[in-house]
Amino acid sequence: MIDKNSNLAAEDIADDLLYRTGLALVNGQFTGSEDCFVLPQMIETTEGARVLREPGDVVQLFQRVRDFLEKSAVKDVVRTIGDAEYIAEDAIESVHVARLVQADGQHLRAPYPVYSLLKRCADRTWRIAHTSYGIIDSRAHNEALLTWRSTQRD
């Protein structure tokens, strides 16, 4: 985990958040990954958008994506930072490429880009504030990202 008082390179901060959220996806250990996100937060794909409002929404989102990965026989999600830059003292724009790898080492499909806005919060921790997924070849993956029942009561 990144030292909240450090002034690390933007890429190191983005990579740390990818590592922590990636462990939750691959291992199913969602508890604790909620602190990687600013809430409320918009999640966008090429097919729509949803807002995460509560920590329980994050857990449900991770479970739906994990279910999609298991049904697709994906054993690893390899995410590589393409670029990460400070756009303000407490904000970073980051782009990474994600590859879904099956047990035999083959990719499930073409890699897809992901844009994230990272913000340093009042407690000085870095969190993901917004994410846009460029998934153009998988309706099921987009549905996993966009469909869940909010834990917030209206």
Side-chain angles (χ1 to χ4, degrees):
M1 185 146 136
I2 295 290
D3 176 0
K4 60 184 168 185
N5 296 313
S6 70
N7 287 318
L8 292 173
E11 187 172 317
D12 293 335
I13 292 164
D15 197 50
D16 178 66
L17 287 165
L18 283 181
Y19 175 76
R20 291 169 53 209
T21 56
L23 280 179
L25 277 176
V26 174
N27 298 331
Q29 301 296 325
F30 307 118
T31 304
S33 64
E34 303 96 331
D35 70 350
C36 292
F37 298 92
V38 172
L39 296 174
Q41 179 189 152
M42 179 160 306
I43 301 288
E44 296 178 303
T45 78
T46 56
E47 295 187 15
R50 292 288 187 265
V51 176
L52 300 170
R53 298 189 189 286
E54 301 288 327
D57 294 343
V58 176
V59 174
Q60 287 184 37
L61 169 65
F62 270 75
Q63 187 59 57
R64 288 205 37 100
V65 172
R66 184 161 164 75
D67 290 348
F68 163 77
L69 296 173
E70 286 179 1
K71 287 177 187 171
S72 302
V74 171
K75 298 299 180 195
D76 197 10
V77 180
V78 178
R79 301 183 295 174
T80 307
I81 301 288
D83 193 23
E85 293 184 15
Y86 282 91
I87 58 171
E89 182 179 344
D90 294 326
I92 294 170
E93 285 185 326
S94 173
V95 176
H96 70 270
V97 174
R99 292 171 178 81
L100 305 180
V101 183
Q102 297 175 306
D104 63 1
Q106 296 295 311
H107 293 170
L108 178 64
R109 59 176 196 277
Y112 57 91
V114 182
Y115 164 84
S116 298
L117 176 63
L118 314 178
K119 291 199 174 180
R120 186 170 13 207
C121 298
D123 66 359
R124 307 296 293 163
T125 59
W126 284 95
R127 296 181 183 173
I128 304 162
H130 179 96
T131 309
S132 295
Y133 296 85
I135 302 168
I136 59 172
D137 57 356
S138 176
R139 177 165 286 217
H141 195 170
N142 282 315
E143 286 177 0
L145 288 162
L146 295 176
T147 309
W148 70 86
R149 177 172 291 146
S150 177
T151 58
Q152 183 178 25
R153 296 181 186 204
D154 296 323

